[in-house]
Amino acid sequence: MMCIHGEAGIGKTLAVNTCLRELEAGQGEEVRRVTFRARPTARAVRYELFDALGLPGEPPRHPSEFDRLLKTALTERPRTFLVDEAQWLNGEAFEYFRYLWDEPSTRIAIIFVDGAGAHTVLRREPTLSSRIFIWQRFIRLSRAEVLETVPLFHPVWEGASPADIRYTDERDTSAGPR
């Protein structure tokens, strides 16, 4: 498991999705992306995973049957789950992911992407924090770093002048003022 965290609007989800697309294409890894509403219960996590895995039929009614179904599905092949907006998860939801991850036969990697707060919940609970292999904090790039980095991301930006990159960066309203 890993936790990517940092303030909103600095490219965490974009960076993770870019890397996961390469993993999917190059190694055929099955990646499932899930996002939850505020404070989901373990029951809500079960249903979201059922849908994300594309399991056939109706979801089981009883938690033990549901858990058995999910664990069986998660043993079939390696999968990576991207849990975006992880700040909406509560301790119960994180514990459910840990429960599935701890099962020796499941073959899953879990990436929590957090705008603000999830890494605090994860670090506070020893049973959760001990299972996070990578804690990666993202920080906003400086202007010099933006000028150096942006041309590397896409051929459109390779030949762009520093003035054009600066102009675009200054008008990026999603990241807030610099």
Side-chain angles (χ1 to χ4, degrees):
M1 286 193 265
M2 68 185 301
C3 180
I4 308 291
H5 60 100
E7 64 184 88
I10 59 174
K12 298 177 303 290
T13 300
L14 172 67
V16 171
N17 276 312
T18 299
C19 292
L20 289 176
R21 274 193 294 278
E22 291 177 19
L23 181 67
E24 287 173 299
Q27 297 178 18
E29 178 82 12
E30 185 176 316
V31 176
R32 300 294 182 196
R33 292 161 176 84
V34 292
T35 304
F36 296 93
R37 295 176 191 243
R39 309 291 176 243
T41 62
R43 180 176 188 263
V45 174
R46 285 182 185 99
Y47 278 91
E48 188 66 32
L49 294 177
F50 182 89
D51 288 341
L53 291 167
L55 297 175
E58 292 295 315
R61 293 182 186 261
H62 301 288
S64 60
E65 293 172 26
F66 215 145
D67 293 347
R68 202 170 18 262
L69 175 70
L70 290 173
K71 286 180 181 179
T72 299
L74 294 173
T75 63
E76 295 171 354
R77 63 187 160 282
R79 289 187 175 93
T80 298
F81 283 97
L82 168 59
V83 182
D84 201 6
E85 303 297 340
Q87 69 270 14
W88 294 113
L89 301 180
N90 56 21
E92 178 185 9
F94 281 122
E95 280 295 332
Y96 191 74
F97 277 106
R98 183 200 55 78
Y99 167 75
L100 294 173
W101 188 85
D102 276 354
E103 175 63 37
S105 60
T106 59
R107 301 167 66 192
I108 58 174
I110 303 169
I111 304 167
F112 296 110
V113 179
D114 164 34
H119 69 285
T120 306
V121 174
L122 287 166
R123 284 206 186 270
R124 188 174 39 228
E125 297 295 330
T127 58
L128 294 168
S129 67
S130 66
R131 285 156 176 85
I132 303 294
F133 182 67
I134 297 171
W135 298 90
Q136 183 63 55
R137 182 173 175 247
F138 273 48
I139 58 172
R140 188 175 303 282
L141 296 176
S142 69
R143 287 190 194 261
E145 290 168 326
V146 167
L147 292 174
E148 181 182 330
T149 305
V150 167
L152 304 174
F153 271 92
H154 194 279
V156 166
W157 293 104
E158 281 178 17
S161 73
D164 287 342
I165 294 171
R166 253 190 316 277
Y167 176 84
T168 303
D169 184 50
E170 289 167 359
R171 273 125 193 99
D172 178 9
T173 57
S174 67
R178 287 201 187 262

